[in-house]
Structure formats: structure tokens, C-alpha cells
Amino acid sequence: MAGRLSTAASRLLGGGGVCRSIAFSLPTRSGMGLPVGKHIVPDKPLPEQDELVWDNGTPFPEPCIDRLVPSIGKYESLAWLCGGLGFFAAIGLLAVWNDKASKIPFAPKVYPYDNLRVELGGEP
């Protein structure tokens, strides 16, 4: 029913349906163009290390691999990795240690007459 109504409405408004609106909106993209610039098809062999440079059409292409080696050593990065993983392991152990649902696996039942205090041997 809704499909027939939308088709009838598009004919009344002079449109050719969905295909016409897509045909006009896709090529122009509201004047924005492609998100990363035009795609250039290579016509000659690429340089040997072309895959190591991120060139998205800007005037300043940047390397794909950040050069952090001079400032951070491998043992310092290993210490940061072990510290972060140890932090998450500590949070997990605290959650297991403080798990109330495993200590009381059932909901406590409430009985009438002050939770059967007298019937279970309490003071009247």
C-alpha cells in the first residue's frame, strides 16, 4: 500500500520515482565531490616504498608508520603494555572477589510474622 502511494505521489509531483532523484543527486553530491579527492590511476611503475606513504590528496603526504622509535624504547613500551594489561586484570580480579551473586545464588525469601522470628526459636 505504501509503495503504491509513494509511486502515485511521485508521479503527481512530476518525478520519475526514486531512480530520477538518485540519478540527479549522486553525480553532484551537493557540490562536495569525493571524500578524499580524485582517484589517480598510476600510468607508470610505483616507487618501491609507495605503500609506506599515506597520500590522501593533501599537499603534505604523511608516513603510514609513526616514527616514535627515537623517543620511546622497546622496554618502556613493554612496561606500558604490561601496566595497562595488569590494570585490567586487577579490575577483573576485584570484580570476581566482590561478586555478591555467587555468594548468595538465590534471592532471600521474606516470611510473614517478622520473618518467622518466634517460630524459628527467637524471643517472643
Side-chain angles (χ1 to χ4, degrees):
M1 181 74 180
R4 284 187 268 160
L5 286 176
S6 63
T7 305
S10 67
R11 285 186 186 156
L12 284 174
L13 294 175
V18 177
C19 295
R20 182 175 178 192
S21 65
I22 290 175
F24 283 115
S25 65
L26 281 181
T28 59
R29 290 182 49 89
S30 302
M32 293 187 305
L34 294 174
V36 291
K38 294 183 178 180
H39 179 67
I40 300 170
V41 179
D43 56 352
K44 57 185 179 198
L46 294 173
E48 184 176 342
Q49 297 183 349
D50 184 62
E51 68 268 6
L52 299 178
V53 176
W54 176 257
D55 187 10
N56 59 353
T58 60
F60 308 106
E62 55 186 283
C64 291
I65 302 171
D66 291 333
R67 304 288 182 197
L68 297 176
V69 176
S71 60
I72 298 174
K74 64 180 177 180
Y75 294 112
E76 184 181 355
S77 62
L78 179 66
W80 278 104
L81 176 69
C82 291
L85 292 176
F87 174 74
F88 285 114
I91 287 179
L93 288 174
L94 282 173
V96 168
W97 177 64
N98 195 24
D99 187 18
K100 292 183 180 15
S102 66
K103 294 175 186 168
I104 304 173
F106 53 88
K109 188 163 174 98
V110 178
Y111 293 103
Y113 303 111
D114 196 19
N115 211 12
L116 298 178
R117 184 177 50 87
V118 176
E119 287 80 6
L120 291 176
E123 298 274 337

